[in-house]
Amino acid sequence: MVAGQLEDEDGFVRRVHELYATTDAQGFDVLRFKNGRVVERYSIPQRIGADVVGRVWSFRDVTDRERMLRGAQFLADAGRLLGSLDVEKALESVARLTVSYLGDGCAIDLLSDVGGAHRLLAIDRDPTRTIKSEIPRTVLAGRSLIYATNGTSYMSVPMPGRSTLFGVVTFVAGGGRRYTEPDLELAEDLARRIAMAIENAHLYRGAQDALHAREEFLSIAAHEIRGPITAIHLAVQGLRRGRTDSRAGAKLLDIVEREDRRLARFVDELLDVTRIRGGRLHFDLERVDLGEITREVVARLGPEIAPSGSSLSVVTDGDLVGLWDRIRLDQVVTNLLSNAVKFGLGKSVEVIVHSDDARATLLVRDHGIGVDPGMEKRIFDPFARAVSARNYGGLGLGLYIVRTIVEGLGGAVRVETTAGGGSTFTVELPRSKEP
Amino acid sequence: MSRSTEILVADDDPDIREVIALLLEAHGFHTIGASDGNEALRQIHSHPDVGLVLLDLMMPRLSGADMVRMLKGDAALRRIPVVILSGDNAAQELAAALGAEDCLRKPVDLESLLATVTKFVRP
């Protein structure tokens, strides 16, 4: 009997009785079958002359039309949910929506850059079932798949990113439902929308991070510039008042000079970063002795190093002449040495310069605070700092400038470090830059 | 008004420490210095005559803010007045919240520095 296959068996029977009880009523009903079929039923009285002699029943199968309408509605709902900037919450809502429309369960797996997948979320009406996280090869190759195991139907659909595949959505249906081609088309459409939402969220987060880094940089720059200005401001007012004796007056002038140089260095660093970013960092190559530059920098930084309590030892060995840019190389040595002292906790700092035929190596080792694991690579990025600006000043540009110069000269810089165990920076430079 | 006249200048910037020390000493005050919060606390413990702390907030290891909290939480030391010397826009509010006695914004004028210092100590 048809009634047994309907979602609302009682309603069906009741309606048939109602229509037969009235002689001239017209009827229109939608019959929903348990297997998903949808049929429209029309019922009109059959007359001969003025007399009603019976009823004409006609049926129309509108399953496809209904599915398209519901599919469009489903995608519209999902699209609205995915418009949220809180992508994780949005994805969970979409997965729940999916469970009510496209089966009983849904899982989203993201592929990582280094290979392998990690499950972002899984929702299933059947708590005893685990949606498999291995992704079929076909799907990894970018093609969707319908398959069945143990009476359960699955759809596995790739999420295409701008350049690579970055995840897979898996749908599960039990209870006798079998996924069909139209289901797959809908699932693919949904997967594309999910992919776009995740990509947009990544872009948004990246923009937010960049904005945050810029704000933080501005606040640090303001702090770093305010220090020298405060010192110069007070020193000049003190000198103008004339209450200081000649010894103190000379010291105040020294401070003005030092802080003036510090401000000039900030401006140089900022200009360097602008040049680097605009691709306008040029090198004037000449024969330069790295040992000589190192000794010059040590001598120049002496007065700044003294208050830190750090002792500095320099060992140079061999022929250290190469084809480099004197001023830029001076910057590299200055930045590495300043950092070693700044983060050196007043302990000794060792500088070793040696070379072979092809390369010169500069090694700067301190025994200070070191760098936390995971930060070793990032410390060479612009505006990055391994420690809070509240604790250690500086613009956070020094190592970025070092890396850019060293790489510009065809070399490489690396760090070996442990948190609390100090850092060793090693710069290797080809003695004549290869073209 | 404290009768003691030693002023502790705590700032991680050595030139700011030195310029303030030189100027205050030219006006008859005695100063000692500290480059972070820990050193500032050590100095206070070893110099019972400290009658005022001029304190930067952004310092390595123990920050100025943490140092004030420790100072004001210590019954024997909380009488020592603290003047926050900071470039932070919210320095005034922060100083009040920390229980510091006064606040000066960097860059500070010599006039304001002297006027504020003489509220708490005499040369």
Side-chain angles (χ1 to χ4, degrees):
Chain A
M1 234 340 248
V2 168
Q5 299 170 28
L6 290 170
E7 282 183 3
D8 184 9
E9 194 176 331
D10 296 343
F12 170 77
V13 174
R14 192 174 57 246
R15 191 76 179 116
V16 171
H17 287 305
E18 272 172 25
L19 288 167
Y20 273 118
T22 59
T23 49
D24 57 353
Q26 294 195 5
F28 167 72
D29 296 283
V30 176
L31 309 178
R32 294 188 185 279
F33 287 70
K34 284 176 184 162
N35 69 0
R37 265 183 81 200
V38 185
V39 171
E40 287 177 352
R41 179 186 63 194
Y42 304 87
S43 174
I44 50 170
Q46 172 75 49
R47 296 170 198 279
I48 294 178
D51 298 330
V52 174
V53 296
R55 282 196 162 266
V56 177
W57 300 86
S58 52
F59 299 86
R60 182 153 71 134
D61 189 327
V62 293
T63 310
D64 285 345
R65 191 193 73 194
E66 277 285 300
R67 187 172 47 225
M68 280 170 68
L69 276 174
R70 287 187 65 203
Q73 183 61 47
F74 167 70
L75 285 177
D77 290 347
R80 204 168 44 247
L81 290 170
L82 289 170
S84 157
L85 286 173
D86 183 350
V87 73
E88 264 138 50
K89 216 169 138 194
L91 290 177
E92 200 184 317
S93 312
V94 167
R96 289 192 188 287
L97 185 71
T98 304
V99 163
S100 68
Y101 182 77
L102 256 182
D104 302 312
C106 173
I108 299 177
D109 296 291
L110 294 183
L111 298 174
S112 78
D113 298 339
V114 289
H118 89 270
R119 173 133 308 168
L120 191 66
L121 62 91
I123 286 177
D124 203 326
R125 275 188 187 149
D126 178 357
T128 62
R129 179 172 47 205
T130 311
I131 303 173
K132 281 192 301 179
S133 54
E134 320 73 280
I135 297 161
R137 221 177 265 274
T138 320
V139 182
L140 281 178
R143 286 194 303 277
S144 312
L145 188 69
I146 296 177
Y147 57 98
T149 46
N150 302 329
T152 306
S153 183
Y154 291 89
M155 278 194 295
S156 205
V157 182
M159 285 194 284
R162 259 174 248 277
S163 50
T164 53
L165 177 74
F166 72 78
V168 172
V169 193
T170 308
F171 304 86
V172 190
R177 175 166 177 177
R178 288 282 173 270
Y179 285 124
T180 57
E181 268 311 305
D183 290 331
L184 197 63
E185 276 169 30
L186 194 68
E188 283 172 346
D189 201 334
L190 180 69
R192 273 193 296 274
R193 283 165 202 242
I194 291 175
M196 213 185 293
I198 294 175
E199 264 188 335
N200 286 344
H202 282 169
L203 290 174
Y204 177 70
R205 207 166 293 163
Q208 290 280 91
D209 286 351
L211 213 62
H212 179 75
R214 173 166 291 215
E215 274 167 19
E216 170 132 339
F217 171 73
L218 285 176
S219 126
I220 291 163
H223 173 260
E224 289 300 310
I225 289 164
R226 205 177 274 123
I229 288 176
T230 301
I232 292 172
H233 194 73
L234 281 172
V236 169
Q237 288 183 343
L239 287 166
R240 197 182 281 278
R241 264 191 174 225
R243 288 274 296 262
T244 47
D245 58 26
S246 60
R247 188 193 57 94
K251 283 185 170 180
L252 288 175
L253 281 174
D254 285 345
I255 290 172
V256 171
E257 268 191 346
R258 268 203 306 271
E259 294 298 308
D260 175 55
R261 276 204 301 273
R262 201 167 132 198
L263 280 176
R265 272 207 305 272
F266 282 149
V267 174
D268 284 345
E269 279 196 1
L270 288 175
L271 287 177
D272 278 344
V273 170
T274 313
R275 278 191 202 107
I276 291 169
R277 301 221 137 179
R280 299 193 310 275
L281 192 68
H282 294 301
F283 295 99
D284 292 324
L285 300 183
E286 56 179 322
R287 286 174 62 78
V288 179
D289 186 325
L290 180 57
E292 187 187 308
I293 287 193
T294 306
R295 283 187 293 274
E296 277 174 18
V297 172
V298 169
R300 191 177 63 237
L301 291 182
E304 288 179 39
I305 293 172
S308 74
S310 285
S311 64
L312 204 65
S313 69
V314 182
V315 176
T316 57
D317 185 28
D319 175 12
L320 300 168
V321 177
L323 203 55
W324 301 310
D325 180 312
R326 174 180 295 278
I327 292 168
R328 294 297 174 195
L329 208 51
D330 185 304
Q331 253 181 306
V332 169
V333 180
T334 303
N335 287 356
L336 289 177
L337 270 182
S338 302
N339 273 359
V341 172
K342 184 162 141 191
F343 301 112
L345 296 174
K347 296 178 187 167
S348 65
V349 172
E350 293 110 49
V351 184
I352 300 168
V353 197
H354 60 90
S355 71
D356 57 26
D357 287 346
R359 311 177 80 76
T361 305
L362 165 75
L363 192 144
V364 179
R365 177 183 295 135
D366 70 65
H367 303 278
I369 62 169
V371 178
D372 286 337
M375 276 303 290
E376 296 104 318
K377 285 211 167 59
R378 287 188 52 204
I379 56 174
F380 293 103
D381 290 342
F383 311 126
R385 48 178 66 244
V387 288
S388 155
R390 296 205 170 270
N391 284 335
Y392 291 92
L395 293 179
L397 297 173
L399 289 176
Y400 172 58
I401 292 172
V402 165
R403 191 193 72 188
T404 311
I405 293 173
V406 170
E407 289 177 357
L409 291 169
V413 59
R414 62 174 192 274
V415 64
E416 286 151 57
T417 180
T418 46
S423 305
T424 303
F425 286 87
T426 307
V427 172
E428 289 197 327
L429 289 170
R431 293 176 62 178
S432 60
K433 190 184 167 187
E434 287 114 39
Chain B
M1 178 76 60
S2 171
R3 274 167 300 173
S4 29
T5 54
E6 239 174 0
I7 300 171
L8 173 62
V9 183
D11 196 310
D12 62 331
D13 187 328
D15 278 344
I16 291 186
R17 265 196 328 266
E18 191 181 355
V19 75
I20 291 176
L22 286 168
L23 295 173
L24 290 179
E25 280 169 16
H27 288 82
F29 296 97
H30 296 290
T31 67
I32 50 174
S35 60
D36 63 48
N38 286 328
E39 199 186 345
L41 284 175
R42 275 201 302 279
Q43 290 280 49
I44 289 169
H45 282 292
S46 57
H47 291 75
D49 286 345
V50 169
L52 175 66
V53 181
L54 278 178
L55 184 74
D56 179 29
L57 286 179
M58 273 168 85
M59 290 192 292
R61 295 172 285 274
L62 187 66
S63 76
D66 289 337
M67 186 264 174
V68 185
R69 285 189 198 105
M70 290 174 80
L71 190 75
K72 294 298 179 189
D74 186 327
L77 302 176
R78 72 164 63 104
R79 58 165 188 87
I80 303 174
V82 174
V83 173
I84 301 285
L85 188 55
S86 167
D88 198 307
N89 285 331
Q92 200 83 45
E93 292 81 356
L94 198 55
L98 289 167
E101 275 67 15
D102 215 330
C103 174
L104 288 167
R105 272 292 300 281
K106 282 180 186 174
V108 61
D109 279 326
L110 182 55
E111 285 301 329
S112 331
L113 176 69
L114 290 170
T116 305
V117 165
T118 45
K119 277 203 258 176
F120 302 100
V121 287
R122 285 271 176 236

PDB file of all heavy atoms in Angstrom, chain A residues 377-391:
ATOM      1  N   LYS A 377      63.292  31.321  13.651  1.00  0.00           N
ATOM      2  CA  LYS A 377      63.182  31.794  12.265  1.00  0.00           C
ATOM      3  C   LYS A 377      62.560  33.181  12.235  1.00  0.00           C
ATOM      4  O   LYS A 377      62.965  34.037  11.476  1.00  0.00           O
ATOM      5  CB  LYS A 377      62.321  30.831  11.455  1.00  0.00           C
ATOM      6  CG  LYS A 377      63.057  29.550  11.120  1.00  0.00           C
ATOM      7  CD  LYS A 377      62.585  28.975   9.797  1.00  0.00           C
ATOM      8  CE  LYS A 377      63.520  27.894   9.294  1.00  0.00           C
ATOM      9  NZ  LYS A 377      63.661  26.771  10.241  1.00  0.00           N
ATOM     10  N   ARG A 378      61.574  33.383  13.111  1.00  0.00           N
ATOM     11  CA  ARG A 378      60.815  34.640  13.052  1.00  0.00           C
ATOM     12  C   ARG A 378      61.619  35.858  13.470  1.00  0.00           C
ATOM     13  O   ARG A 378      61.281  36.971  13.096  1.00  0.00           O
ATOM     14  CB  ARG A 378      59.549  34.517  13.915  1.00  0.00           C
ATOM     15  CG  ARG A 378      58.496  33.632  13.264  1.00  0.00           C
ATOM     16  CD  ARG A 378      57.212  33.671  14.024  1.00  0.00           C
ATOM     17  NE  ARG A 378      56.761  35.027  14.255  1.00  0.00           N
ATOM     18  CZ  ARG A 378      55.944  35.374  15.245  1.00  0.00           C
ATOM     19  NH1 ARG A 378      55.500  34.466  16.081  1.00  0.00           N
ATOM     20  NH2 ARG A 378      55.560  36.617  15.384  1.00  0.00           N
ATOM     21  N   ILE A 379      62.680  35.648  14.255  1.00  0.00           N
ATOM     22  CA  ILE A 379      63.426  36.830  14.708  1.00  0.00           C
ATOM     23  C   ILE A 379      64.087  37.574  13.551  1.00  0.00           C
ATOM     24  O   ILE A 379      64.468  38.715  13.700  1.00  0.00           O
ATOM     25  CB  ILE A 379      64.491  36.495  15.794  1.00  0.00           C
ATOM     26  CG1 ILE A 379      65.452  35.420  15.299  1.00  0.00           C
ATOM     27  CG2 ILE A 379      63.811  36.063  17.080  1.00  0.00           C
ATOM     28  CD1 ILE A 379      66.598  35.173  16.269  1.00  0.00           C
ATOM     29  N   PHE A 380      64.184  36.928  12.383  1.00  0.00           N
ATOM     30  CA  PHE A 380      64.770  37.611  11.228  1.00  0.00           C
ATOM     31  C   PHE A 380      63.709  38.341  10.405  1.00  0.00           C
ATOM     32  O   PHE A 380      64.009  38.941   9.388  1.00  0.00           O
ATOM     33  CB  PHE A 380      65.509  36.608  10.340  1.00  0.00           C
ATOM     34  CG  PHE A 380      66.739  36.029  10.992  1.00  0.00           C
ATOM     35  CD1 PHE A 380      66.726  34.745  11.512  1.00  0.00           C
ATOM     36  CD2 PHE A 380      67.895  36.782  11.111  1.00  0.00           C
ATOM     37  CE1 PHE A 380      67.855  34.217  12.123  1.00  0.00           C
ATOM     38  CE2 PHE A 380      69.033  36.262  11.714  1.00  0.00           C
ATOM     39  CZ  PHE A 380      69.013  34.973  12.229  1.00  0.00           C
ATOM     40  N   ASP A 381      62.456  38.252  10.827  1.00  0.00           N
ATOM     41  CA  ASP A 381      61.385  38.936  10.103  1.00  0.00           C
ATOM     42  C   ASP A 381      61.275  40.388  10.564  1.00  0.00           C
ATOM     43  O   ASP A 381      61.601  40.695  11.706  1.00  0.00           O
ATOM     44  CB  ASP A 381      60.031  38.247  10.354  1.00  0.00           C
ATOM     45  CG  ASP A 381      59.969  36.884   9.687  1.00  0.00           C
ATOM     46  OD1 ASP A 381      60.796  36.640   8.792  1.00  0.00           O
ATOM     47  OD2 ASP A 381      59.105  36.084  10.068  1.00  0.00           O
ATOM     48  N   PRO A 382      60.794  41.281   9.682  1.00  0.00           N
ATOM     49  CA  PRO A 382      60.661  42.674  10.104  1.00  0.00           C
ATOM     50  C   PRO A 382      59.639  42.802  11.233  1.00  0.00           C
ATOM     51  O   PRO A 382      58.626  42.098  11.222  1.00  0.00           O
ATOM     52  CB  PRO A 382      60.177  43.387   8.839  1.00  0.00           C
ATOM     53  CG  PRO A 382      59.634  42.318   7.971  1.00  0.00           C
ATOM     54  CD  PRO A 382      60.375  41.075   8.301  1.00  0.00           C
ATOM     55  N   PHE A 383      59.908  43.675  12.148  1.00  0.00           N
ATOM     56  CA  PHE A 383      59.033  44.000  13.281  1.00  0.00           C
ATOM     57  C   PHE A 383      58.865  42.836  14.252  1.00  0.00           C
ATOM     58  O   PHE A 383      58.047  42.891  15.154  1.00  0.00           O
ATOM     59  CB  PHE A 383      57.646  44.483  12.827  1.00  0.00           C
ATOM     60  CG  PHE A 383      57.711  45.552  11.779  1.00  0.00           C
ATOM     61  CD1 PHE A 383      57.048  45.428  10.584  1.00  0.00           C
ATOM     62  CD2 PHE A 383      58.477  46.680  12.006  1.00  0.00           C
ATOM     63  CE1 PHE A 383      57.131  46.418   9.614  1.00  0.00           C
ATOM     64  CE2 PHE A 383      58.570  47.675  11.043  1.00  0.00           C
ATOM     65  CZ  PHE A 383      57.896  47.546   9.844  1.00  0.00           C
ATOM     66  N   ALA A 384      59.620  41.743  14.024  1.00  0.00           N
ATOM     67  CA  ALA A 384      59.476  40.606  14.933  1.00  0.00           C
ATOM     68  C   ALA A 384      60.391  40.829  16.128  1.00  0.00           C
ATOM     69  O   ALA A 384      61.442  41.439  16.020  1.00  0.00           O
ATOM     70  CB  ALA A 384      59.880  39.322  14.231  1.00  0.00           C
ATOM     71  N   ARG A 385      59.978  40.356  17.244  1.00  0.00           N
ATOM     72  CA  ARG A 385      60.850  40.384  18.398  1.00  0.00           C
ATOM     73  C   ARG A 385      60.515  39.170  19.239  1.00  0.00           C
ATOM     74  O   ARG A 385      59.365  38.795  19.377  1.00  0.00           O
ATOM     75  CB  ARG A 385      60.703  41.679  19.185  1.00  0.00           C
ATOM     76  CG  ARG A 385      59.249  42.040  19.465  1.00  0.00           C
ATOM     77  CD  ARG A 385      59.127  43.290  20.283  1.00  0.00           C
ATOM     78  NE  ARG A 385      59.592  44.459  19.583  1.00  0.00           N
ATOM     79  CZ  ARG A 385      60.635  45.184  19.964  1.00  0.00           C
ATOM     80  NH1 ARG A 385      61.301  44.864  21.026  1.00  0.00           N
ATOM     81  NH2 ARG A 385      60.989  46.231  19.273  1.00  0.00           N
ATOM     82  N   ALA A 386      61.554  38.550  19.762  1.00  0.00           N
ATOM     83  CA  ALA A 386      61.339  37.326  20.533  1.00  0.00           C
ATOM     84  C   ALA A 386      60.906  37.670  21.952  1.00  0.00           C
ATOM     85  O   ALA A 386      60.351  36.846  22.651  1.00  0.00           O
ATOM     86  CB  ALA A 386      62.614  36.500  20.566  1.00  0.00           C
ATOM     87  N   VAL A 387      61.153  38.922  22.358  1.00  0.00           N
ATOM     88  CA  VAL A 387      60.819  39.308  23.723  1.00  0.00           C
ATOM     89  C   VAL A 387      59.978  40.576  23.681  1.00  0.00           C
ATOM     90  O   VAL A 387      59.983  41.298  22.695  1.00  0.00           O
ATOM     91  CB  VAL A 387      62.081  39.570  24.568  1.00  0.00           C
ATOM     92  CG1 VAL A 387      62.781  38.276  24.887  1.00  0.00           C
ATOM     93  CG2 VAL A 387      63.017  40.514  23.854  1.00  0.00           C
ATOM     94  N   SER A 388      59.279  40.830  24.753  1.00  0.00           N
ATOM     95  CA  SER A 388      58.387  41.974  24.797  1.00  0.00           C
ATOM     96  C   SER A 388      59.145  43.287  24.684  1.00  0.00           C
ATOM     97  O   SER A 388      60.218  43.461  25.250  1.00  0.00           O
ATOM     98  CB  SER A 388      57.638  41.927  26.129  1.00  0.00           C
ATOM     99  OG  SER A 388      57.222  43.208  26.472  1.00  0.00           O
ATOM    100  N   ALA A 389      58.550  44.214  23.921  1.00  0.00           N
ATOM    101  CA  ALA A 389      59.146  45.544  23.796  1.00  0.00           C
ATOM    102  C   ALA A 389      59.146  46.244  25.146  1.00  0.00           C
ATOM    103  O   ALA A 389      59.907  47.165  25.387  1.00  0.00           O
ATOM    104  CB  ALA A 389      58.375  46.357  22.779  1.00  0.00           C
ATOM    105  N   ARG A 390      58.237  45.799  26.031  1.00  0.00           N
ATOM    106  CA  ARG A 390      58.187  46.415  27.355  1.00  0.00           C
ATOM    107  C   ARG A 390      59.455  46.087  28.130  1.00  0.00           C
ATOM    108  O   ARG A 390      59.845  46.780  29.041  1.00  0.00           O
ATOM    109  CB  ARG A 390      56.974  45.911  28.138  1.00  0.00           C
ATOM    110  CG  ARG A 390      55.721  46.316  27.467  1.00  0.00           C
ATOM    111  CD  ARG A 390      54.546  46.410  28.405  1.00  0.00           C
ATOM    112  NE  ARG A 390      53.472  47.034  27.669  1.00  0.00           N
ATOM    113  CZ  ARG A 390      53.264  48.334  27.620  1.00  0.00           C
ATOM    114  NH1 ARG A 390      54.024  49.152  28.301  1.00  0.00           N
ATOM    115  NH2 ARG A 390      52.284  48.823  26.906  1.00  0.00           N
ATOM    116  N   ASN A 391      60.055  44.952  27.787  1.00  0.00           N
ATOM    117  CA  ASN A 391      61.246  44.550  28.511  1.00  0.00           C
ATOM    118  C   ASN A 391      62.533  44.966  27.820  1.00  0.00           C
ATOM    119  O   ASN A 391      63.499  45.322  28.465  1.00  0.00           O
ATOM    120  CB  ASN A 391      61.247  43.044  28.727  1.00  0.00           C
ATOM    121  CG  ASN A 391      60.282  42.640  29.813  1.00  0.00           C
ATOM    122  OD1 ASN A 391      59.981  43.451  30.685  1.00  0.00           O
ATOM    123  ND2 ASN A 391      59.796  41.433  29.753  1.00  0.00           N
TER     124      ASN A 391
END
